[in-house]
Amino acid sequence: MGPLPLHLLPSTGTVAPDGRLTIGGCDVLQLAERYGTPLFVYDEEHLRARCREAVAAWGDGVAYASKAFLCKAMAALVHDSGMCIDVSTGGELAVCLAAGVPPERLVLHGNNKSLAELTEAVEAGVGRIVVDSFDEIDRLSALAVAGMSARVMVRVTPGVEAHTHEYVMTGQEDTKFGFSIASGAAARAVDQLRRLPEMEVVGIHAHIGSQIFVLASFRKAIEALADFFTPLGLPELCLGGGLGVPYVTGEAAPTIIEWAAAAREACAAAGIPSDTRLTAEPGRAIAAAAAVTLYRVGTVKDLPGIRSYVAVDGGMSDNPRPVLYGSGYEAFLPRSTTADRPRQVRVVGKHCESGDLIVPDACVPADLVVGDILCTPVTGAYGHSMASNYNKVPRPAVLFVAGGHARVVVRRETYDDLLRLDA
Ligand SMILES: *Cc1c(COP(=O)(O)O)cnc(C)c1O
């Protein structure tokens, strides 16, 4: 009911005396006028600061999980800021290479990498391939026979259930990802790969899930990994991503520094050798809070005794998280950023689905009207990257803002783009 908690804004977000929001020195209402809505606005300084924090916390080798948000400008920024980048498909690999990221700074993931994707990655010379299945080992053997070589890690499932949504839990035994330690599959995978001299096994990888607030989940994973990892005598251990971020009033998450410190402590306590190169792959913790989405309010429907519906010009096509995971967001009006929000409404999109929710129970200022720019913060991860053309809605533009300057890093789609692939 109170005003927006300002800590949910990107780090350079400031509120002018008249209540208007600026990010990166740019007035966001002017950005909406100039570039149209819906619009993703990323704070470059925020992104750089999170990348630098990740490198300070984990050291060289820490990778940004590009599926959270990726375009050429993002790949270049992340690389400039000292992080490696993890990609999980040939498409993500192609974008990073097109951005000029040196291939040795890339890590290839994926539970079903095709022979073509593996070939592209090995030929490009990616730094690490994280092996996920015995079928993939067969494909790597074929590449080895053809004289190709790579550095590989083995993705294992430690058999722990992280405190998070079922759809983003990945460390449990019943999963499509990785090799089970408990069943002996992980040991067999390491063994098979070690018989391929072209494939240098450099470490073990585990990723237990996403949007995890509880550091104890990571500690449990490390305890479960230690007895398997230590006897292998491998130099690297990657703990994956998954650090949560606050989206709504009342949520709080550990910092990247705290996350790394807890992991190091747990590794030491579990007897993992201190010279192990410990790394991680944050995605959400780098990108989520760096961006806001700007929408324009198009209709307001008051259903007496039921609720009010506020419809904006985007929806599940630019942010499917509320539909997929029941995720919560805040909403506010950047023309009066610090205003009280006494009015309860349901913010919905423009798609032909009742499930097309953006904020099911939003608090907004009493004077919200049609034509207002409405803003949802913390939309920098798994928003644009999961965007679709459902209902043939063109995907929004993406801006990077810094130092009072805005640049379009992904342009808005046009109707021509929607027709581009039709025969
Ligand atoms: C998704 C994913 C990540 C990043 O997860 P976040 O929750 O965004 O930090 C890291 N590593 C792997 C293997 C992943 O699949």
Side-chain angles (χ1 to χ4, degrees):
M1 285 308 219
L4 173 80
L6 295 181
H7 71 266
L8 295 178
L9 292 174
S11 59
T12 68
T14 50
V15 183
D18 63 357
R20 283 172 74 124
L21 176 64
T22 66
I23 299 173
C26 299
D27 179 284
V28 305
L29 294 177
Q30 281 175 11
L31 295 176
E33 282 310 320
R34 170 136 189 234
Y35 298 98
T37 52
L39 186 65
F40 286 95
V41 180
Y42 280 82
D43 179 350
E44 265 191 65
E45 206 172 298
H46 184 117
L47 288 172
R48 287 183 202 280
R50 290 290 77 72
C51 292
R52 285 193 302 263
E53 183 186 356
V55 175
W58 291 96
D60 187 41
V62 63
Y64 167 64
S66 67
K67 71 179 191 275
F69 168 63
L70 182 63
C71 63
K72 285 199 293 180
M74 181 65 178
L77 179 150
V78 168
H79 171 62
D80 285 348
S81 305
M83 291 185 85
C84 293
I85 303 183
D86 105 36
V87 296
S88 8
T89 62
E92 288 175 352
L93 172 64
V95 172
C96 291
L97 293 176
V101 178
E104 65 272 16
R105 302 295 288 171
L106 299 175
V107 181
L108 179 68
H109 279 280
N111 70 301
N112 181 18
K113 307 176 191 77
S114 67
L115 183 61
E117 286 173 316
L118 288 167
T119 307
E120 284 157 27
V122 173
E123 282 181 346
V126 300
R128 304 278 183 278
I129 293 175
V130 182
V131 181
D132 199 283
S133 70
F134 289 108
D135 294 300
E136 186 179 341
I137 296 178
D138 291 343
R139 287 172 205 148
L140 289 171
S141 308
L143 295 184
V145 167
M148 293 190 237
S149 60
R151 289 205 161 116
V152 302
M153 299 180 80
V154 176
R155 173 152 177 181
V156 304
T157 42
V160 304
E161 304 207 346
H163 289 276
T164 187
H165 193 287
E166 182 194 351
Y167 290 2
V168 293
M169 217 190 254
T170 54
Q172 70 281 17
E173 284 296 326
D174 184 356
T175 176
K176 69 170 183 168
F177 296 104
F179 296 95
S180 154
I181 293 178
S183 75
R188 276 190 290 132
V190 172
D191 209 49
Q192 287 187 16
L193 284 162
R194 278 179 158 167
R195 283 170 218 219
L196 297 175
E198 295 83 356
M199 299 296 151
E200 184 191 352
V201 183
V202 295
I204 295 299
H205 178 285
H207 169 74
I208 57 170
S210 197
Q211 186 59 355
I212 299 164
F213 287 124
V214 189
L215 291 179
S217 291
F218 294 102
R219 287 196 196 98
K220 255 194 332 193
I222 289 164
E223 282 162 24
L225 284 168
D227 287 349
F228 174 73
F229 174 75
T230 304
L232 295 172
L234 291 171
E236 295 181 24
L237 177 61
C238 179
L239 298 168
L243 180 63
V245 304
Y247 282 86
V248 294
T249 306
E251 282 181 340
T255 64
I256 296 175
I257 297 277
E258 289 165 343
W259 177 40
R264 262 178 232 295
E265 237 169 71
C267 284
I272 290 173
S274 58
D275 59 352
T276 303
R277 186 191 199 215
L278 198 62
T279 59
E281 301 165 334
R284 191 189 309 273
I286 301 291
V292 303
T293 306
L294 304 177
Y295 300 102
R296 193 174 291 276
V297 174
T299 63
V300 177
K301 246 176 226 178
D302 294 313
L303 306 187
I306 304 175
R307 69 174 79 246
S308 294
Y309 283 89
V310 171
V312 297
D313 53 358
M316 61 192 287
S317 58
D318 58 74
N319 187 0
R321 294 190 64 255
V323 183
L324 280 175
Y325 317 118
S327 310
Y329 285 88
E330 297 287 341
F332 68 98
L333 301 179
R335 67 167 159 80
S336 39
T337 310
T338 50
D340 262 343
R341 300 176 301 165
R343 193 167 157 201
Q344 281 250 0
V345 299
R346 176 160 288 179
V347 178
V348 298
K350 63 180 288 155
H351 296 279
C352 304
E353 306 249 347
S354 288
D356 175 27
L357 305 168
I358 295 178
V359 190
D361 294 298
C363 302
V364 294
D367 63 350
L368 175 145
V369 288
V370 168
D372 264 334
I373 297 297
L374 181 133
C375 181
T376 50
V378 202
T379 55
Y382 306 107
H384 190 270
S385 68
M386 285 185 161
S388 75
N389 285 129
Y390 181 43
N391 282 137
K392 289 291 184 224
V393 170
R395 276 174 287 208
V398 181
L399 296 184
F400 275 15
V401 294
H405 178 70
R407 61 184 171 121
V408 178
V409 295
V410 182
R411 71 160 168 79
R412 182 176 305 284
E413 284 180 331
T414 63
Y415 293 160
D416 279 345
D417 290 320
L418 300 177
L419 288 162
R420 201 176 35 188
L421 305 178
D422 281 33

